[in-house]
Amino acid sequence: MPELAEPRQQAIAAILNDGGEALASDLARRFGVSEMTIRRDLRTLENQGLAIRVHGGAMAGERFRFTSRLSKNARAKGRAVEKLAGEIPDRGSIYLDGSTTILNLVKHLKGRSRLQVATNNIETFNRIAGLRGPTPILIGGTLDVRTDSLIGPLAMRSVEALVFDKAFFSAWGIMPETGLNEVTVEDALVKAVVAKRSGTVLVALDRSKFGVAAAGVWDHCPDRAWLATDMEPDDERLRAYRGMFKKIV
């Protein structure tokens, strides 16, 4: 953990690590300071990758790091992604987002020497680069220490300079009212631009993502988007989401 200047910030980081999340109002009462002071503390912690600010408070930042997410629901993620493996083209240009779910697709890229694969995640890029076959492209940008993906104006300009035959995504969550969402608005912005510049949008979500909301909502272009889950396509739990996708597999 980075050294923090304020003992209060160290204590808040410990509270988030222990409980996973906390309300700003509760923290203000606990430490006898204003909510504005707590929000400044949370901003400092977020800048150091120790917290993710959400409406009304914050969650522990470590839970969003790439390595922390790798083992979470790994089997269900794998089942969802396998439904999309057959959609990887032999040639052309595709995009893989920085999720640990879509990371499962990398093994299917081997030998595709006429395929260009872009991503905004360094670990995903390194794994693609270690294969024989596809040409990897790392989308430039600022490293987001909260999620280990590249974001910001440079990332946006990079994806705006490219077009993709297909783009493969996961998401932090999906809600019937608002659609796909991410814990950071910046990540959602990059995904929205990539989706607009892709011929087909393919989204893989395990069942734990349904009914989960976060701050950054993004447009996945429903008229050309597919959804793959670890559930059967006719599962009743998917009823509220059918209108959001052209096809569910």
Side-chain angles (χ1 to χ4, degrees):
M1 179 184 295
E3 184 176 349
L4 299 171
E6 290 283 348
R8 183 180 60 251
Q9 292 170 6
Q10 292 179 337
I12 292 172
I15 290 169
L16 293 176
N17 285 333
D18 288 341
E21 57 187 287
L23 294 173
S25 56
D26 291 342
L27 293 171
R29 284 193 295 270
R30 179 166 182 166
F31 293 101
V33 297
S34 68
E35 288 191 37
M36 184 176 294
T37 297
I38 292 296
R39 285 194 289 270
R40 285 197 294 266
D41 289 338
L42 295 176
R43 188 178 302 113
T44 297
L45 294 174
E46 185 174 52
N47 290 338
Q48 298 189 39
L50 300 175
I52 296 282
R53 287 181 294 162
V54 296
H55 181 69
M59 294 185 284
E62 190 62 31
R63 65 188 290 194
F64 303 106
R65 301 300 298 270
F66 195 83
T67 53
S68 298
R69 291 182 276 125
L70 272 174
S71 60
K72 185 178 180 181
N73 299 324
R75 192 171 296 178
K77 290 176 183 177
R79 285 198 296 269
V81 162
E82 284 301 314
K83 294 181 178 181
L84 298 180
E87 297 304 314
I88 301 173
D90 289 326
R91 64 174 69 188
S93 177
I94 66 171
Y95 183 89
L96 304 186
D97 77 358
S99 67
T100 56
T101 298
I102 296 303
L103 183 69
N104 288 286
L105 281 178
V106 171
K107 61 187 177 185
H108 296 285
L109 303 177
K110 189 175 181 180
R112 299 176 192 259
S113 59
R114 294 176 291 180
L115 185 64
Q116 178 177 283
V117 185
T119 185
N120 70 330
N121 182 272
I122 296 172
E123 178 63 27
T124 303
F125 172 83
N126 286 336
R127 295 201 187 190
I128 299 168
L131 297 175
R132 255 189 183 174
T135 300
I137 294 177
L138 181 63
I139 300 301
T142 302
L143 180 63
D144 188 341
V145 296
R146 300 167 295 182
T147 61
D148 297 313
S149 290
L150 297 168
I151 58 168
L154 184 55
M156 300 286 280
R157 289 180 63 184
S158 295
V159 294
E160 286 169 352
L162 298 169
V163 291
F164 308 100
D165 297 299
K166 296 181 178 182
F168 296 82
F169 299 99
S170 190
W172 180 256
I174 184 170
M175 292 289 291
E177 302 83 5
T178 55
L180 296 168
N181 58 75
E182 308 297 331
V183 292
T184 71
V185 173
E186 296 87 349
D187 194 25
L189 289 172
V190 173
K191 290 189 175 187
V193 174
V194 174
K196 288 178 183 177
R197 302 192 64 77
S198 301
T200 305
V201 175
L202 300 116
V203 181
L205 299 174
D206 68 76
R207 68 187 65 193
S208 71
K209 304 293 184 71
F210 291 85
V212 175
V217 176
W218 56 284
D219 178 12
H220 62 284
C221 304
D223 59 322
R224 45 196 165 84
W226 293 23
L227 172 65
T229 81
D230 59 320
M231 297 180 277
E232 293 300 318
D234 59 354
D235 193 298
E236 184 64 24
R237 287 169 288 186
L238 296 174
R239 178 194 289 259
Y241 304 94
R242 298 195 191 286
M244 298 182 188
F245 298 92
K246 182 178 180 180
K247 185 175 182 179
I248 296 180
V249 297

